[in-house]
Amino acid sequence: MEQLTEIHWHDSEIESVIEIPARDELIYNIQYPEKWDQNIFVPKAVTFSGYHSHAIEEMPFEGNPTILTVSVIKVEGGFTTIKLETNAGNRYVTAKSLSIGSQVVSI
């Protein structure tokens, strides 16, 4: 997951998560800090391809969770597991790759 460090994760707000089993994809629709210093956010999608699993360990929370930081937990058998720390708790995604692009609202 080479692009992991190229994404400005901090302060990205999670709007929705869509799983597309037929394509082995998990899509995180986020408000992305395009110009963080000017407080300008734009809709983007982080697409996990070769998607294997997704776990959410968050407390009850009002509003959309905001990503604080992202780290690699494990790399094994061509899959990478990352931990997304949010202001509501943690999320874990295991996939082969990821990309960031235009936001996807539906499938």
Side-chain angles (χ1 to χ4, degrees):
M1 287 198 191
E2 299 80 31
Q3 281 194 300
L4 187 68
T5 58
E6 295 174 17
I7 297 172
H8 184 93
W9 295 95
H10 184 73
D11 286 341
S12 293
E13 183 179 311
I14 301 169
E15 293 186 319
S16 65
V17 180
I18 301 168
E19 178 185 7
I20 306 175
R23 295 195 317 230
D24 290 332
E25 288 182 347
L26 183 72
I27 301 167
Y28 266 70
N29 287 314
I30 60 174
Q31 282 297 316
Y32 185 78
E34 187 79 13
K35 295 183 180 177
W36 190 80
D37 58 338
Q38 296 175 16
N39 203 31
I40 297 174
F41 289 75
V42 297
K44 295 269 186 172
V46 177
T47 302
F48 295 92
S49 300
Y51 161 64
H52 179 275
S53 62
H54 183 229
I56 300 171
E57 298 174 353
E58 292 180 337
M59 64 182 171
F61 190 78
E62 189 170 321
N64 294 333
T66 299
I67 299 171
L68 305 174
T69 189
V70 175
S71 57
V72 173
I73 299 298
K74 178 172 62 171
V75 178
E76 182 179 7
F79 290 92
T80 301
T81 301
I82 65 167
K83 176 182 180 180
L84 294 93
E85 294 180 41
T86 76
N87 57 350
N90 300 318
R91 293 169 177 243
Y92 300 87
V93 178
T94 302
K96 291 185 177 180
S97 63
L98 67 85
S99 61
I100 189 164
S102 301
Q103 192 173 81
V104 176
V105 178
S106 63
I107 56 172

